[in-house]
Amino acid sequence: MYRIFLTYFVGLILLFFSFLFSLSVGAYQIDFVTVLASLFSNQETKEVLIIQDVRLPRAIIGILIGASLAIAGALMQGITRNPLASPQIFGVNAGASLVLVIIVILFPIFSQTTMVYFAFLGAAIGGLTVYALASPGGMNPVKLALAGITMHLFLTSIIEGLIIFHEESTEDVLFWLAGAIDGTDWGHVETILPWLIAGMILALLIAKPLTLLSLGDDVAKGLGQKIGWIRIASAMLVILLAGASVAVAGPIGFVGLIIPHIARKLVGVDYIHVIPCSALLGAVLLVSADVLSRFISFPSESPVGIVTALIGGPYFLYLARKGGK
């Protein structure tokens, strides 16, 4: 219990400082004292406007999406008992991205709020397709990875083809496809906040059954759990969390793959702790990665997905080399 408490304590400290750096670092540098004062100021100075209208919603989006993708990855690894499962590897992100690009081309009049529903549809299609491809003959980590990467590349190639033939209506999509949270505002926060909060709360409610399911189907059945309903509920939550995240920030990869592994190392296999710990560490990772992304082509912005890919790519190869163990 001491180790779990220490993990949460250190995680909150890291989140606090990464949050402050997110508000401070940029083309216009602002010191920490001014940042803290600007958060509670009613004045319309340059610093206050930058903090309250630009960087604060961006940092909050980073926290929400980082937490959501990490929880989605934890849920996927729990229901499949496959350590390589994640929204990106399972095709959830790519499916949501494809449907959103199609909607942008065909129906550009749809609002951001409406786009979330199309993201849910695409996430479901992508995830179910990869699951169907990997399931016959038994699903193992390497087979899942191959099916997921194949589907990801296939859907991505379709997206790129659509962009080539519709350059005028998709000029802003390429940056979004790399996974980016810069340019987000309070409207984006309002759009996804209800969905992500609901998904996180529901994930905590199924944490105990999910822990039993992770021990094996026979054990879960013997303890009276309805494993079919647990998997369906978890899959719906993955679609909810990952779909809403993609609708705003694009297909940010590897957060859902890396963080659940770290969380289980730190707090054990009980999902009562794995889920909140994953949420906390996922928020820390994405907000910190967003800060680092600002230095790649400073003072210009770079997609945060570049940083998560640089971190997650080697980790994915490490897991695949070990057979996902």
Side-chain angles (χ1 to χ4, degrees):
M1 185 58 69
Y2 172 77
R3 184 176 181 178
I4 294 174
F5 173 80
L6 182 62
T7 297
Y8 288 134
F9 180 72
V10 174
L12 288 171
I13 291 176
L14 291 174
L15 181 60
F16 175 74
F17 280 105
S18 61
F19 180 76
L20 281 183
F21 274 110
S22 181
L23 299 181
S24 174
V25 175
Y28 185 79
Q29 301 286 343
I30 305 175
D31 62 83
F32 285 168
V33 175
T34 305
V35 166
L36 293 173
S38 299
L39 289 174
F40 307 99
S41 176
N42 293 323
Q43 300 178 4
E44 293 189 357
T45 63
K46 182 178 182 179
E47 290 80 6
V48 170
L49 293 175
I50 290 174
I51 294 298
Q52 294 186 1
D53 296 341
V54 179
R55 294 184 184 173
L56 184 57
R58 176 176 179 172
I60 292 174
I61 285 288
I63 291 172
L64 291 173
I65 292 180
S68 299
L69 292 175
I71 293 174
L75 292 173
M76 295 185 78
Q77 291 172 18
I79 60 176
T80 63
R81 293 194 296 279
N82 192 319
L84 291 180
S86 71
Q88 183 183 32
I89 302 302
F90 233 76
V92 174
N93 287 354
S97 300
L98 175 60
V99 171
L100 288 175
V101 170
I102 292 173
I103 295 302
V104 167
I105 293 171
L106 298 180
F107 307 101
I109 60 172
F110 281 128
S111 66
Q112 183 70 45
T113 302
T114 306
M115 296 292 276
V116 173
Y117 297 101
F118 290 107
F120 293 155
L121 174 63
I125 293 173
L128 290 173
T129 303
V130 172
Y131 185 83
L133 290 173
S135 292
M139 185 167 56
N140 59 64
V142 176
K143 190 176 181 181
L144 170 65
L146 290 173
I149 293 299
T150 300
M151 183 54 58
H152 174 78
L153 293 174
F154 174 68
L155 296 179
T156 300
S157 65
I158 295 177
I159 292 172
E160 292 175 352
L162 291 171
I163 291 173
I164 290 173
F165 287 104
H166 300 84
E167 291 183 1
E168 293 183 0
S169 58
T170 59
E171 58 184 23
D172 296 326
V173 171
L174 283 175
F175 195 83
W176 171 83
L177 282 173
I181 62 175
D182 62 297
T184 52
D185 53 32
W186 289 112
H188 293 98
V189 175
E190 293 175 2
T191 297
I192 66 171
L193 183 61
W195 297 107
L196 301 187
I197 293 297
M200 293 177 190
I201 293 173
L202 292 172
L204 287 173
L205 293 178
I206 65 169
K208 184 177 180 180
L210 195 60
T211 300
L212 297 176
L213 182 62
S214 66
L215 299 175
D217 290 0
D218 293 337
V219 173
K221 287 180 181 179
L223 294 173
Q225 300 297 319
K226 297 180 179 180
I227 60 175
W229 286 108
I230 297 172
R231 285 199 168 98
I232 291 173
S234 298
M236 294 297 292
L237 289 178
V238 169
I239 292 170
L240 185 80
L241 294 166
S245 298
V246 172
V248 168
I252 297 175
F254 296 107
V255 177
L257 174 68
I258 300 170
I259 294 300
H261 286 277
I262 298 174
R264 284 192 292 268
K265 292 281 187 183
L266 294 173
V267 299
V269 297
D270 189 343
Y271 274 77
I272 290 292
H273 295 297
V274 170
I275 288 174
C277 184
S278 294
L280 178 59
L281 298 180
V284 171
L285 174 61
L286 194 59
V287 175
S288 301
D290 182 45
V291 173
L292 292 175
S293 71
R294 302 175 198 183
F295 294 98
I296 294 177
S297 58
F298 188 84
S300 300
E301 294 283 355
S302 298
V304 67
I306 293 176
V307 179
T308 60
L310 289 173
I311 298 171
Y315 192 81
F316 173 74
L317 294 175
Y318 167 74
L319 286 176
R321 184 178 178 85
K322 292 180 62 179
K325 298 179 181 178

